[in-house]
């Protein structure tokens, strides 16, 4: 399935997804699943098909702890971020091997639209810290991204710590 997704072979993806024995979450040697391949390759149709299947492990992380949502954020793919956020089991607060969250990554990669979208999620937690004790607000403030700092400060549900 990963190869079909990587090549964006829609017919083969459809056939494989119809099979009850297909393992949608089978990882390669780096821990990447078909979901991560779809996001990495920018294949929105494949991502949609995978997310529509009840067997998908939407919060799976690769060997570096990177989730599909984090990967979509880093790539600046707002459409894919939005698709992932529609999934009822998505965890917006997962942390990678460095303790970074999707919100932190949206700040680090200057993804304003993605950050705004993440901030609209009820379960977003900006108080999470990476392994060095830094928050999303810290990254925005100390990278001198005034527009992101203002956006974070305007958000009603969040608290800010340095």
């Amino acid at each position: 399935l990963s190869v079909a997704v990587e090549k964006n072979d829609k017919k083969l993806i459809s056939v494989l997804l119809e099979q009850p024995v297909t393992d949608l979450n089978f990882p390669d040697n780096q821990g990447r699943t078909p979901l991560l391949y779809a996001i990495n390759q920018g294949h929105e149709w494949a991502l949609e098909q995978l997310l529509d299947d009840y067997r998908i492990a939407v919060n799976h992380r690769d060997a570096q702890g990177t989730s599909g949502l984090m990967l979509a954020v880093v790539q600046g793919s707002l459409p894919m971020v939005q698709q992932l956020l529609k999934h009822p089991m998505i965890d917006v607060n997962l942390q990678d091997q460095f303790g970074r969250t999707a919100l932190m990554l949206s700040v680090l990669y200057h993804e304003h639209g993605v950050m705004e979208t993440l901030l609209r999620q009820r379960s977003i937690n900006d108080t999470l810290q990476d392994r060095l004790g830094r928050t999303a607000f810290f990254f925005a403030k100390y990278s001198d991204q005034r527009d992101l700092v203002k956006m974070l400060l305007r958000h009603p549900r969040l608290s800010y710590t340095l």
Side-chain angles (χ1 to χ4, degrees), residues 66-77:
T66 304
S67 69
L69 181 60
M70 292 174 195
L71 184 57
V73 167
V74 168
Q75 291 186 338
S77 177

Side-chain angles (χ1 to χ4, degrees), residues 86-142:
K86 289 177 187 174
H87 194 280
M89 299 303 293
I90 193 75
D91 183 346
V92 297
N93 297 308
L94 289 176
Q95 293 178 278
D96 66 12
Q97 68 179 359
F98 303 107
R100 299 174 303 190
T101 64
L103 182 61
M104 290 177 198
L105 292 170
S106 71
V107 173
L108 288 168
Y109 284 84
H110 308 271
E111 293 297 338
H112 299 70
V114 169
M115 188 178 105
E116 285 180 301
T117 300
L118 289 170
L119 287 173
R120 287 194 290 271
Q121 302 306 301
R122 289 180 188 222
S123 61
I124 197 79
N125 180 354
D126 83 314
T127 62
L128 292 174
Q129 299 177 359
D130 71 4
R131 293 192 182 226
L132 298 175
R134 301 171 297 187
T135 63
F137 184 74
F138 175 93
F139 288 120
K141 183 162 176 43
Y142 287 97

Side-chain angles (χ1 to χ4, degrees), residues 15-74:
V15 168
L16 289 171
L17 289 177
E18 290 173 4
Q19 304 303 313
V21 296
T22 299
D23 185 351
L24 275 64
N25 305 302
F26 187 79
D28 66 10
N29 62 351
Q30 297 294 315
R32 295 172 298 213
T33 61
L35 180 81
L36 295 176
Y37 274 102
I39 295 164
N40 191 53
Q41 298 296 322
H43 299 319
E44 291 181 32
W45 181 87
L47 176 61
E48 182 179 346
Q49 301 311 302
L50 292 166
L51 290 173
D52 283 346
D53 194 299
Y54 72 94
R55 299 172 289 176
I56 196 70
V58 70
N59 294 310
H60 173 82
R61 291 180 275 181
D62 68 13
Q64 289 76 41
T66 304
S67 69
L69 181 60
M70 292 174 195
L71 184 57
V73 167
V74 168

